[in-house]
């Protein structure tokens, strides 16, 4: 884990790293906040925070305001980048909601994206094992959260990899990508036109297929009602219905006047950190 920069922050350290990814075939960047407790060598719980469309490994770390409470709770925060960069795929930067900055936290199977857009393998098979091995964090106390596209990633990765994540939350997540323009565009490009393969990366479909509550301690989701993407892109009601059908406890909080951006995230992030700290034993 090559250290790119390090910043003192609420008694801890906000670090930004780069490492070579075999899955992606390119260098990948990520941020890691270590609270004061971790600097003594004591392993602490780890919360993976996945960012949304157009974001980088720095966005959540700089805008969410999470480090203050994370320092008090003793939570480490891992903020991965949102896509490969510099792959040279034709059209990779042609639109803001597909390609660069829009990896959707899955492994592409359709050419030309399948060569490098392998975000799920990078996160689960490379980045997390490396952080667990080299940082003072607890593998057995790892949670995941995310915003927008990152909320989609948090929900789907938690459901696709049982036992890896002990706690789960999301902020304004894309809950049913098979039924929204962002998801249809991403899935068509990354996975191809065979829609039978899409359900494996759709949070509402994955939840509906469960035979028991995967997170009996509860899932926390926050959604702003003034979010301009709510009606067309996000569909939290579909996730809510799927959770009810399988008996998964879900706290879905709807906030009047709140939009899709980081002012909203900063307003509710403390509740998400406490949610994870409680379930991870921080």
């Amino acid at each position: 884990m090559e250290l790119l920069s390090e910043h003192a922050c609420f008694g801890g350290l906000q670090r930004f790293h780069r490492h070579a990814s075999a899955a992606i075939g390119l260098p990948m960047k990520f941020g890691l906040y270590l609270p004061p407790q971790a600097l003594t060598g004591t392993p602490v719980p780890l919360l993976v925070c996945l960012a949304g469309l157009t974001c980088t490994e720095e966005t959540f770390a700089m805008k969410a305001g999470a480090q203050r409470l994370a320092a008090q709770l003793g939570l480490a925060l891992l903020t991965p980048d949102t896509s490969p960069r510099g792959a040279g795929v034709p059209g990779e930067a042609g639109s803001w909601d597909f390609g660069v900055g829009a990896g959707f936290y899955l492994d592409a199977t359709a050419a030309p994206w399948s060569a490098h857009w392998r975000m799920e393998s990078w996160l689960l098979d490379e980045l997390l094992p490396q952080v667990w091995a080299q940082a003072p964090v607890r593998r057995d106390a790892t949670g995941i959260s995310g915003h927008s596209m990152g909320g989609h990633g948090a929900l789907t990765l938690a459901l696709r990899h049982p036992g890896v994540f002990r706690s789960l939350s999301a902020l304004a997540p894309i809950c049913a990508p098979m039924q929204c323009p962002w998801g249809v565009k991403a899935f068509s490009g990354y996975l191809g036109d065979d829609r039978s393969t899409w359900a494996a990366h759709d949070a509402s479909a994955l939840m509906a297929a469960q035979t028991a509550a995967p997170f009996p301690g509860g899932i926390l989701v926050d959604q702003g009602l003034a979010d301009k993407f709510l009606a067309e892109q996000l569909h939290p009601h579909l996730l809510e219905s799927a959770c009810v059908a399988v008996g998964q406890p879900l706290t879905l909080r709807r906030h009047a006047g709140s939009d899709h951006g980081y002012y909203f995230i900063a307003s509710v992030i403390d509740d998400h950190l406490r949610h994870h700290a409680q379930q991870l034993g921080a």
Side-chain angles (χ1 to χ4, degrees), residues 1-244:
M1 302 194 318
E2 177 188 358
L3 181 63
L4 300 176
S5 66
E6 181 176 271
H7 314 273
C9 187
F10 297 108
L13 289 173
Q14 176 64 61
R15 292 171 169 166
F16 293 98
H17 296 271
R18 177 172 54 203
H19 75 155
S21 168
I24 287 177
L26 293 163
M28 292 295 292
K29 294 180 180 179
F30 59 95
L32 181 63
Y33 176 69
L34 295 176
Q37 299 86 337
L39 302 185
T40 68
T42 302
V44 298
L46 175 67
L47 177 59
V48 182
C49 304
L50 303 181
L53 293 165
T54 75
C55 294
T56 72
E57 74 283 354
E58 293 185 303
T59 310
F60 182 89
M62 294 177 67
K63 291 185 175 183
Q67 293 95 334
R68 181 192 299 269
L69 185 57
Q72 297 175 22
L73 296 172
L75 277 177
L77 307 175
L78 177 63
T79 55
D81 200 355
T82 55
S83 79
R85 297 180 190 270
V89 175
E92 67 180 15
S95 59
W96 66 274
D97 56 356
F98 183 81
V100 172
F104 272 80
Y105 304 103
L106 51 75
D107 285 358
T109 56
W113 309 100
S114 55
H116 298 288
W117 261 253
R118 298 179 52 78
M119 292 294 289
E120 184 171 8
S121 289
W122 173 55
L123 288 169
L124 273 296
D125 299 338
E126 292 186 311
L127 180 57
L128 271 171
Q130 188 170 11
V131 171
W132 286 328
Q134 298 188 31
V137 299
R138 293 174 52 196
R139 180 173 189 155
D140 67 334
T142 299
I144 191 166
S145 184
H147 167 236
S148 192
M149 177 187 71
H152 146 78
L155 293 166
T156 56
L157 294 178
L159 293 172
R160 285 172 55 79
H161 300 274
V164 174
F165 303 103
R166 282 184 49 194
S167 57
L168 174 60
S169 75
L171 304 103
I174 303 171
C175 293
M178 293 174 65
Q179 301 184 51
C180 76
W182 282 343
V184 170
K185 181 176 182 177
F187 288 1
S188 296
Y190 295 141
L191 303 176
D193 294 329
D194 181 1
R195 293 190 173 223
S196 67
T197 67
W198 294 8
H201 301 280
D202 183 297
S204 296
L206 285 167
M207 184 62 74
Q210 302 296 311
T211 57
F215 289 88
I219 300 169
L220 174 63
V221 173
D222 278 294
Q223 175 62 59
L225 293 179
D227 188 327
K228 65 181 180 180
F229 302 115
L230 174 58
E232 186 177 32
Q233 303 283 11
L234 304 180
H235 303 317
H237 64 287
L238 297 179
L239 177 66
E240 186 176 38
S241 297
C243 286
V244 170

